[in-house]
Amino acid sequence: GNSVTQMEGPVTLSEEAFLTINCTYTATGYPSLFWYVQYPGEGLQLLLKATKADDKGSNKGFEATYRKETTSFHLEKGSVQVSDSAVYFCALTAGGTSYGKLTFGQGTILTVHP
Amino acid sequence: DARVTQTPRHKVTEMGQEVTMRCQPILGHNTVFWYRQTMMQGLELLAYFRNRAPLDDSGMPKDRFSAEMPDATLATLKIQPSEPRDSAVYFCASGEGQGQSYEQYFGPGTRLTVT
């Protein structure tokens, strides 16, 4: 079956530090890959996505590249801000008849200190 | 700015009571998902619908949970009878798209506490 594994958290950084959150996946076929972010007390929001190998998704300074050879989709940001403190979820959908059903990783808590 | 709405936002109830959570998907979205989030289990998919028809409810405890879409603008999740272990945040999400281009849009959640 499909699965997503994220690096264990929580992650604590100082403002302007470099961020990497690792994500690897197992899936049949050619999944689409997503990063969702959840701010305190809110629902999940789509942060970025990539639908085929070597695609780079980007949004709000965050980037992730779909690496089929390593089955990875690591999230990066060059300079984090306090407002980036949230929970980040890596996810995939296998397309076909799944109609967008997402398989999520366990989430990584990010805390950024001033 | 179209959003998924959920009511109530918070619910406290006693064990054994019926709980009904409601979701209004984004107009035009043809797929609706129900998730449960807890610290221990993370995000779990309970059920989902396409064009109001249930596609998969294997994540739901069948004896006490039920999910329906009476019409295209309303999805409901009921728990009867509720138990303390049902305490969690329940999210509804709606989506549109085809094949690999699907995106889901999440509501703000219903925080349920069963005492």
Side-chain angles (χ1 to χ4, degrees), chain A residues 30-32 34 36 38 41-44 46 49 51 89 93-96 98-102 104, chain B residues 9 31 33 35 37 42-43 45 48 50 55-56 91 99-109:
Chain A
Y30 300 93
S32 291
F34 303 83
Y36 279 82
Q38 184 179 28
E42 298 183 10
L44 280 70
L46 178 64
K49 70 175 184 180
T51 58
F89 292 91
T93 181
S98 70
Y99 297 118
K101 178 181 173 181
L102 286 166
F104 284 97
Chain B
R9 291 294 311 276
T31 312
F33 304 80
Y35 294 90
Q37 185 178 37
L43 271 166
L45 178 65
Y48 71 112
R50 180 170 175 86
L55 285 189
D56 184 353
F91 289 104
Q100 302 292 80
S101 299
Y102 237 91
E103 292 187 24
Q104 290 188 27
Y105 297 82
F106 282 73

Side-chain angles (χ1 to χ4, degrees), chain A residues 1-99:
Chain A
N2 300 329
S3 67
V4 176
T5 302
Q6 290 180 232
M7 66 182 288
E8 291 187 13
V11 175
T12 302
L13 295 173
S14 296
E15 205 165 26
E16 298 184 2
F18 184 86
L19 168 71
T20 299
I21 301 177
N22 290 339
C23 171
T24 58
Y25 68 89
T26 302
T28 54
Y30 300 93
S32 291
L33 303 174
F34 303 83
W35 278 100
Y36 279 82
V37 59
Q38 184 179 28
Y39 298 103
E42 298 183 10
L44 280 70
Q45 302 174 24
L46 178 64
L47 181 59
L48 53 83
K49 70 175 184 180
T51 58
K52 61 183 187 296
D54 300 324
D55 266 3
K56 177 185 284 187
S58 61
N59 186 26
K60 299 181 181 180
F62 290 89
E63 295 182 341
T65 301
Y66 189 144
R67 301 287 189 200
K68 190 166 179 62
E69 64 275 14
T70 54
T71 62
S72 65
F73 193 54
H74 304 321
L75 182 68
E76 296 182 338
K77 186 174 186 182
S79 176
V80 293
Q81 306 300 312
V82 173
S83 57
D84 294 326
S85 297
V87 184
Y88 292 82
F89 292 91
C90 186
L92 68 83
T93 181
T97 58
S98 70
Y99 297 118

Side-chain angles (χ1 to χ4, degrees), chain B residues 46-84:
Chain B
L46 298 175
Y48 71 112
F49 296 77
R50 180 170 175 86
N51 296 326
R52 297 176 54 203
L55 285 189
D56 184 353
D57 62 2
S58 59
M60 283 197 321
K62 298 293 191 303
D63 57 338
R64 299 185 300 109
F65 283 60
S66 63
E68 297 179 344
M69 281 201 72
D71 60 60
T73 64
L74 177 64
T76 62
L77 180 66
K78 291 186 181 180
I79 308 174
Q80 169 63 22
S82 57
E83 297 180 2

